[in-house]
Amino acid sequence: MSQVKDKSNVVETEERLQIVRLASDRQKRQSTKANAGRDVAIGLSKTPKSLPPQYFYDDRGSELFEQICSLPEYYPTRTEAEILRQYAGEIAGIIGKCELVELGSGSSTKTRLLLEAFLDGGHSLLYVPVDVSGKILEESARKLGADYPSLQVRGLVGTYEEALTQMQPSPWPSRTVVFLGSSLGNFAPEQCDRFFEQMTTVLEPGDYFLLGIDLQKPKDIMEAAYNDSQGTTAEFNLNMLAHLNWRFGGNFDLSLFYHQAIYNESKSRIEMHLHCKQTHTVYLESLDFKVEFSKGESILTEISRKFNVETMQQYLEARGLKLVRAFTDPQQWFGLLLCQV
């Protein structure tokens, strides 16, 4: 089970439900003071400009992403849920009793299909959701505790890196790391390599890794998923600037930017941009950082790479993760890959 040395970070709710904040308020203040906004300044100083996707996820950003997952154009969530609905029992039967760690758990909506399959199959389970939004994680953990009386939940508030670096060997028969939603697609290739270097350190021989990947499909379907008719994805993208204003004392005028997502065929990825409508200057007070924007200039805020099952299988097996079974939907729009160390 994951442990932290600072006991004051453990919020005890009841015997089978805990919320652990991986960095204390003091540690966060020290880290923030030393490094706050360095990645923002670096990204906005580049040509073309970019921002780290982590700044999507303040509490408002997390709420908007949950709304995106329910949009009619946004096929990944419902397609992955359909796969889980059909195959969760088989997945639980293969894995058996385990500690189930989910990276980027959010509201754990889809994960309920997996949790129910384990519990219905009579498998004991410790669920370890990891998310940067403490508010959403605590709310979802309490709901899970209320809905599944036999489920143990130990929520970890923090980044993937914080969670993976602080995990100790599990006392359970096996550990399964779950990474759903094709979140891996948000990593550039070099970031992907670093993620697997970290992730595989917490898995022992016989442990499992369940990965969701968005597969190649017609361009118009993919672009529509990130340019929804209700404008929720646009609001999500623009909220990053509002987050920077709040966090670093910035004066971004959101009305001077607009959202667009395009599919880059040469790199097999969706790219989300914020385009500047007119030339102006932005100042981030707490960073003492000024940046000039030209009319028509854009900020790259996110990438979402699209994959091929066979190519991903080769990539995973080169990192010691042998494919046990690949699950897809009838249209082969999305894939779930169950691997074992």
Side-chain angles (χ1 to χ4, degrees):
M1 183 185 295
S2 306
Q3 297 178 352
V4 290
K5 294 180 180 179
D6 188 349
K7 298 296 185 182
S8 66
N9 290 336
V10 180
V11 181
E12 298 282 355
T13 55
E14 55 180 271
E15 187 176 346
R16 62 187 179 84
L17 176 61
Q18 291 183 340
I19 303 296
V20 182
R21 300 186 184 279
L22 294 177
S24 68
D25 290 338
R26 177 180 56 81
Q27 289 170 325
K28 284 183 176 179
R29 284 195 298 270
Q30 290 174 340
S31 175
T32 298
K33 188 174 180 179
N35 303 300
R38 186 164 174 256
D39 50 358
V40 173
I42 290 172
L44 292 179
S45 299
K46 291 179 180 178
T47 304
K49 292 177 171 64
S50 64
L51 284 169
Q54 71 189 59
Y55 291 103
F56 281 129
Y57 297 103
D58 59 356
D59 285 340
R60 177 58 180 158
S62 296
E63 290 170 359
L64 285 167
F65 183 72
E66 291 297 321
Q67 293 176 30
I68 288 170
C69 291
S70 301
L71 294 171
E73 299 96 333
Y74 195 74
Y75 63 84
T77 302
R78 66 172 180 273
T79 307
E80 188 176 36
E82 289 168 6
I83 298 170
L84 283 168
R85 197 170 286 111
Q86 183 172 357
Y87 295 109
E90 183 175 341
I91 293 169
I94 293 171
I95 296 172
K97 181 179 179 180
C98 74
E99 174 186 295
L100 189 74
V101 179
E102 183 177 12
L103 303 177
S105 57
S107 62
S108 303
T109 303
K110 286 178 298 186
T111 317
R112 283 174 172 258
L113 298 167
L114 201 54
L115 298 177
E116 288 171 2
F118 275 93
L119 298 173
D120 290 347
H123 305 293
S124 298
L125 189 70
L126 168 64
Y127 178 48
V128 185
V130 178
D131 204 274
V132 293
S133 174
K135 177 183 176 184
I136 284 185
L137 189 142
E138 186 167 351
E139 287 175 355
S140 63
R142 290 182 183 280
K143 288 177 183 176
L144 289 169
D147 292 344
Y148 306 113
S150 63
L151 180 66
Q152 297 182 55
V153 181
R154 183 176 173 84
L156 305 181
V157 181
T159 64
Y160 304 155
E161 182 177 10
E162 288 169 337
L164 293 173
T165 55
Q166 295 190 48
M167 283 188 185
Q168 304 298 317
S170 177
W172 288 68
S174 71
R175 170 180 281 156
T176 298
V177 174
V178 177
F179 200 32
L180 300 177
S182 201
S183 297
L184 188 70
N186 300 140
F187 297 163
E190 62 275 11
Q191 294 173 312
C192 194
D193 293 343
R194 287 197 299 271
F195 168 76
F196 277 101
E197 286 174 9
Q198 278 194 314
M199 195 274 297
T200 52
T201 62
V202 306
L203 297 177
E204 302 288 341
D207 286 349
Y208 291 91
F209 177 55
L210 182 65
L211 174 66
I213 55 173
D214 197 4
L215 303 178
Q216 296 287 344
K217 63 187 65 64
K219 175 182 176 179
D220 60 333
I221 295 171
M222 291 187 287
E223 288 191 340
Y226 296 84
N227 294 290
D228 66 276
S229 59
Q230 296 181 40
T232 308
T233 309
E235 186 180 352
F236 173 72
N237 202 5
L238 286 162
N239 182 71
M240 179 185 280
L241 304 184
H243 183 192
L244 295 180
N245 282 346
W246 168 80
R247 190 161 179 176
F248 301 116
N251 64 341
F252 276 105
D253 183 343
L254 275 61
S255 70
L256 297 183
F257 294 85
Y258 68 93
H259 158 84
Q260 184 188 37
I262 59 169
Y263 182 64
N264 184 326
E265 295 189 30
S266 65
K267 295 184 177 181
S268 300
R269 71 188 195 184
I270 286 283
E271 296 176 352
M272 290 223 310
H273 296 269
L274 289 172
H275 295 284
C276 179
K277 297 179 183 179
Q278 67 183 52
T279 299
H280 68 287
T281 303
V282 170
Y283 182 62
L284 297 168
E285 184 177 8
S286 67
L287 305 181
D288 192 22
F289 177 74
K290 184 183 293 185
V291 57
E292 303 289 339
F293 285 93
S294 301
K295 182 178 179 180
E297 191 174 13
S298 70
I299 312 170
L300 176 66
T301 55
E302 184 180 57
I303 63 170
S304 182
R305 296 162 64 206
K306 307 306 173 186
F307 300 99
N308 171 278
V309 171
E310 292 73 22
T311 304
M312 182 53 69
Q313 178 181 350
Q314 295 170 8
Y315 179 88
L316 294 170
E317 292 190 350
R319 285 153 183 78
L321 294 163
K322 182 176 176 59
L323 183 67
V324 176
R325 177 83 192 275
F327 306 92
T328 61
D329 58 285
Q331 295 172 298
Q332 297 193 337
W333 281 8
F334 203 93
L336 274 181
L337 307 185
L338 179 61
C339 305
Q340 187 173 32
V341 180

